[in-house]
């Protein structure tokens, strides 16, 4: 587990991934996406949410059992919710801490301890959002989101102090991220409510009750909380029928203006729909189609759009989600002129297979998977379209370079590497030396996507040889050439280049042979 935790820890500073940083810099108070490619993959295990749920109580049974209990009204009714008041009363039910038992023992212990700490501080503490959803779905997710009815940041400081955890505070949003010594990340926020001055802009937030906090969330399945205070440990709050929707494999927004308020939820809906194999509830689907047909997404800032797109592409199988984006004509928000023809679709569809082969052959190569998909998606678009898309998505310099050069390099190399006749290993090396690993995967995907599968194994052989050869070095250096009497100048590069080619092709294998090779060129 510790290993898994470490794996999920971002590389930067306190452990925030790039996507986290995007979010933070773009002022997304509510969200801590798990979008680093590696982190996302870990939680997508098992495609379908097949085994549900701990509590098989039918609504009818609940109604009967709750009839004597006080019925609290939810702050808002969620869309199409049947028996909302009934569901709301579930919060008063004593629900055993069985759900928490699905977490690793170490995390369970931690949650009990912070629950006790919350009691000491006189605040209510909840586990909330995606982790609760995934616990109910029995899917692994240790991205812990805690929310405090009270001062979340003060509580986070206390926890950090007690556990010697790293702490990053985002005062403006009353949120903090803790990174425990073993790598476990925990986000702690103050329960809040939000109001949107305009569609698609970030909301203003203010402290509020847990009920109000749940009511501002995206979908019913993400609006479930589990209380952690000692006496209420494991108590489930499910005011919008999230558990029912999980059982019925449904994505449902909480109110009709949800996509208008925050169009990133359009992408989130598609992401969850595809990840879990759920379907959109009818009204939700209508609202989504309606919102998608407007220009709301255009209003999203670059970092927010980038975040959503990259998170979607970081899913285990983003192909279906991309098909969905295509159907809903949402790819226009990357660029209106994006070329999304049949051949592009075929290349995109071939990416998972190419990635699987690549990862099995070269497990040490760190592939930016979302970028491979983005490269595939834009592989037949003009350079100016790609450049504008890159700007719109404010991709990092490294990602931008990969995406802008990938496609053109790939087409040229593909022809040479799959044509009749022998290609020397050094020629392959020279053809591919400027390729990012992502471009190499795209190269393979393009080949896989062509219906005539001939020469696929040849390409794979070339790739395998290239990956071995690209670490090859000559024994001689510039200094040796100098000692051999060569005048300083551009010929150094040429001779060393030729020497490397000869090494790669196996024409020279020792330092003595290299010297003889150079000598020959100097005298000849
Ligand atoms: P994932 O498994 O992809 O991390 P998640 O549901 O955990 O999915 P996060 O982005 O980690 O999503 O956010 C945590 C929680 O914050 C969500 O479960 C949801 O309750 C809330 N949330 C996140 N983004 C939004 C949003 N755009 N609008 C409303 N609530 C949101
Ligand atoms: Mg999450």
């Amino acid at each position: 587990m510790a290993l898994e935790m470490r794996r999920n820890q971002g590389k930067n500073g306190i452990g925030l991934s790039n996507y986290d940083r995007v979010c933070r810099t773009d002022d997304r108070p509510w969200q801590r996406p798990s979008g680093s490619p590696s982190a996302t993959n870990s939680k997508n295990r098992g495609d379908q949410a097949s085994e549900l749920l701990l509590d098989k109580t039918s609504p009818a049974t609940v109604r009967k059992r709750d009839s004597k209990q006080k019925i609290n009204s939810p702050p808002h009714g969620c869309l199409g919710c049947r028996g909302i008041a009934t569901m709301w009363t579930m919060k008063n039910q004593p629900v055993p801490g069985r759900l928490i038992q699905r977490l690793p023992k170490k995390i369970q212990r931690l949650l009990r301890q912070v629950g006790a700490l919350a009691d000491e501080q006189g605040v209510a503490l909840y586990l909330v959002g995606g982790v609760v959803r995934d616990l109910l779905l029995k899917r692994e997710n240790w991205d812990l989101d805690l929310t405090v009815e009270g001062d979340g940041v003060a509580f986070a400081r206390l926890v950090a102090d007690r556990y010697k955890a790293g702490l990053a505070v985002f005062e403006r949003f009353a949120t903090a991220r803790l990174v425990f010594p073993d790598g476990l990340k925990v986000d702690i926020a103050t329960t809040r409510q939000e109001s949107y001055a305009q569609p698609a802009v970030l909301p203003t937030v203010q402290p509020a009750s847990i009920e109000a906090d749940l009511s501002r969330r995206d979908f019913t399945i993400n609006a479930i909380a589990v209380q952690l205070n000692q006496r209420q440990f494991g108590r489930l709050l499910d005011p919008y029928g999230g558990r029912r929707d999980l059982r019925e494999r449904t994505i449902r927004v909480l109110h009709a203006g949800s996509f208008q308020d925050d169009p990133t939820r359009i992408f989130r809906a598609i992401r969850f729909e595809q990840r879990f194999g759920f379907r959109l509830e009818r009204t939700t689907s209508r609202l989504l189609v309606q919102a998608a047909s407007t220009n709301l997404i255009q209003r999203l800032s670059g970092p927010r759009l980038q975040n959503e797109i990259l998170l979607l592409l970081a899913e285990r199988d983003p192909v279906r989600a991309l098909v969905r984006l295509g159907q809903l004509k949402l790819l226009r928000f990357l660029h209106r002129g994006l070329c999304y023809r049949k051949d592009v679709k075929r290349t995109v569809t071939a990416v998972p297979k190419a990635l699987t082969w690549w990862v099995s052959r070269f497990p040490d190569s760190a592939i930016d998977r979302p970028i491979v998909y983005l490269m595939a998606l834009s592989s037949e678009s003009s350079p100016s379209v790609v450049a504008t898309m890159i700007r719109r998505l404010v991709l990092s310099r490294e990602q931008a370079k990969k995406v802008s050069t990938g496609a053109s390099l790939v087409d040229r190399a593909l022809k040479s590497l799959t044509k009749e006749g022998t290609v020397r290993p050094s020629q392959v090396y020279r053809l591919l030396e400027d390729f990012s690993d992502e471009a190499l995967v795209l190269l393979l995907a393009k080949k896989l996507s062509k219906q005539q599968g001939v020469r696929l194994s040849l390409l794979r052989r070339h790739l395998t040889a290239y990956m071995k050869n690209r670490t090859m070095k000559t024994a001689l250096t510039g200094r040796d050439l100098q000692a051999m009497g060569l005048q300083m100048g551009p010929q150094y590069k040429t001779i060393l280049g030729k020497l490397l080619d000869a090494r790669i092709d196996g024409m020279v294998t020792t330092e003595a042979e290299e010297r003889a090779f150079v000598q020959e060129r100097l005298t000849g």
Side-chain angles (χ1 to χ4, degrees):
M1 182 187 78
L3 198 136
E4 185 74 17
M5 289 171 181
R6 265 195 300 279
R7 193 163 60 75
N8 283 341
Q9 192 175 1
K11 289 188 193 122
N12 310 316
I14 192 151
L16 295 177
S17 70
N18 281 338
Y19 300 148
D20 296 324
R21 279 173 189 278
V22 165
C23 271
R24 298 305 185 195
T25 52
D26 194 42
D27 301 352
R28 311 186 71 196
W30 56 83
Q31 193 176 6
R32 178 193 31 69
S34 52
S36 75
S38 61
T40 309
N41 292 339
S42 77
K43 69 171 76 142
N44 289 344
R45 243 162 264 157
D47 261 340
Q48 307 289 312
S50 49
E51 36 171 4
L52 285 183
L53 293 160
L54 86 160
D55 189 330
K56 301 268 192 306
T57 323
S58 73
T61 328
V62 173
R63 202 169 296 130
K64 204 166 157 207
R65 212 196 293 149
D66 281 342
S67 59
K68 290 206 184 92
Q69 291 177 347
K70 183 170 158 244
I71 295 183
N72 296 334
S73 295
H76 310 290
C78 75
L79 276 178
C81 261
R82 285 159 292 152
I84 177 78
T86 304
M87 298 310 297
W88 187 245
T89 57
M90 277 183 164
K91 82 171 201 164
N92 293 328
Q93 270 182 249
V95 177
R98 252 191 306 167
L99 198 56
I100 302 288
Q101 285 168 18
R102 294 181 181 174
L103 286 165
K105 283 268 178 312
K106 200 167 159 185
I107 296 182
Q108 286 184 41
R109 255 198 317 276
L110 176 71
L111 292 182
R112 283 199 182 268
Q113 288 166 4
V114 290
L117 194 59
D119 286 342
E120 280 172 32
Q121 299 304 308
V123 293
L125 180 69
Y126 305 88
L127 185 66
V128 73
V131 61
V132 177
R133 174 200 68 217
D134 288 344
L135 277 173
L136 287 160
L137 290 172
K138 296 185 177 166
R139 289 169 70 96
E140 235 173 51
N141 177 359
W142 302 327
D143 271 348
L144 303 184
D145 273 311
L146 301 184
T147 183
V148 178
E149 258 175 338
D151 188 341
V153 169
F155 186 71
R157 288 190 201 284
L158 208 68
V159 177
D161 233 36
R162 185 153 304 189
Y163 293 90
K164 311 261 170 292
L167 177 74
V169 172
F170 309 94
E171 288 284 0
R172 194 177 147 206
F173 306 117
T175 59
R177 166 164 287 190
L178 301 178
V179 182
F180 285 73
D182 62 1
L184 178 70
K185 288 183 295 184
V186 178
D187 280 6
I188 301 185
T190 303
T191 50
R192 84 234 0 256
Q193 64 188 7
E194 295 174 345
S195 50
Y196 291 82
Q198 281 176 51
V201 301
L202 289 163
T204 43
V205 299
Q206 58 194 131
S209 65
I210 181 68
E211 288 81 10
D213 185 278
L214 292 176
S215 80
R216 54 97 194 165
R217 290 178 185 261
D218 49 1
F219 309 112
T220 57
I221 59 169
N222 290 339
I224 312 174
V226 176
Q227 191 160 1
L228 299 176
N229 299 78
Q230 284 178 107
R231 290 189 54 198
Q232 297 88 349
F233 193 79
R235 183 178 74 124
L236 208 76
L237 280 79
D238 180 19
Y240 298 107
R243 283 192 296 175
R244 176 212 53 207
D245 283 339
L246 283 173
R247 260 194 300 265
E248 293 176 5
R249 310 162 68 81
T250 301
I251 313 279
R252 186 192 308 263
V253 284
L254 272 69
H255 60 93
S258 189
F259 294 121
Q260 303 278 326
D261 282 349
D262 180 355
T264 65
R265 293 173 188 161
I266 296 173
F267 296 104
R268 291 178 64 83
I270 294 172
R271 192 147 57 85
F272 295 129
E273 176 195 52
Q274 299 306 323
R275 183 195 298 174
F276 301 131
F278 283 12
R279 61 174 183 82
L280 299 181
E281 172 270 331
R282 207 143 52 105
T283 310
T284 301
S285 173
R286 186 173 51 73
L287 292 168
L288 184 142
V289 170
Q290 208 175 353
S293 72
T294 68
N295 265 349
L296 271 173
I297 291 174
Q298 199 60 40
R299 298 200 205 174
L300 285 176
S301 69
R304 291 185 78 191
L305 183 62
Q306 181 214 84
N307 185 56
E308 290 310 322
I309 296 295
L310 296 187
L311 280 177
L312 197 135
L313 297 179
E315 288 289 313
R316 197 175 79 150
D317 179 9
V319 174
R320 284 173 312 187
L322 280 173
V323 170
R324 215 48 180 111
L325 291 188
Q327 283 167 351
L328 290 161
K329 304 210 178 339
L330 287 172
L331 293 172
R332 73 184 192 279
F333 294 109
L334 296 182
H335 195 293
R336 277 199 175 274
L338 197 74
C339 172
Y340 189 54
R341 293 186 313 233
K342 270 206 179 111
D343 51 345
V344 176
K345 290 180 194 169
R346 276 202 296 269
T347 305
V348 169
T349 309
V351 169
K353 201 167 171 194
L355 277 169
T356 305
W357 182 82
W358 186 268
V359 171
S360 71
R361 283 316 277 250
F362 315 113
D364 293 337
S365 137
I367 291 279
D368 189 342
R369 287 167 180 255
I371 288 301
V372 181
Y373 284 101
L374 207 53
M375 286 162 78
L377 199 59
S378 58
S379 57
E380 298 299 327
S381 296
S382 72
S384 76
V385 166
V386 176
T388 311
M389 179 189 83
I390 287 170
R391 277 200 300 278
R392 172 66 178 118
L393 291 178
V394 286
L395 293 183
S396 71
R397 194 188 297 225
E398 194 188 346
Q399 290 177 324
K401 189 166 167 229
K402 288 174 180 172
V403 176
S404 60
T405 57
S408 59
L409 287 172
V410 162
D411 280 338
R412 200 158 43 85
L414 198 56
K415 278 204 195 85
S416 316
L417 291 177
T418 52
K419 67 177 183 208
E420 297 272 345
T422 342
V423 188
R424 284 199 311 277
S426 62
Q427 288 176 308
V428 176
Y429 175 83
R430 295 298 168 194
L431 262 172
L432 300 181
E433 67 180 333
D434 293 331
F435 275 54
S436 59
D437 285 5
E438 289 76 6
L440 294 173
V441 176
L442 178 64
L443 182 76
L444 183 60
K446 275 216 160 181
K447 182 69 206 148
L448 283 163
S449 74
K450 309 258 186 251
Q451 253 123 32
Q452 65 280 28
V454 283
R455 306 205 171 273
L456 177 62
S457 53
L458 176 65
L459 177 63
R460 283 183 175 151
R461 276 203 305 280
H462 281 321
L463 285 174
T464 307
Y466 168 72
M467 289 300 278
K468 187 161 73 70
N469 291 334
R470 78 172 177 180
T471 53
M472 199 170 275
K473 294 227 168 356
T474 54
L476 298 188
T477 63
R479 203 172 284 205
D480 297 310
L481 297 193
Q482 203 178 1
M484 289 168 83
L486 185 67
Q487 289 290 308
M488 280 294 233
Q491 66 268 33
Y492 267 65
K493 199 170 168 216
T494 317
I495 291 187
L496 285 174
K498 287 204 165 115
L499 192 57
L500 182 61
D501 288 353
R503 265 267 178 189
I504 289 174
D505 291 335
M507 287 158 58
V508 295
T509 52
T510 62
E511 187 180 325
E513 283 173 3
E514 281 194 16
R515 282 186 186 281
F517 182 92
V518 173
Q519 207 64 55
E520 210 173 291
R521 262 132 202 95
L522 290 182
T523 51

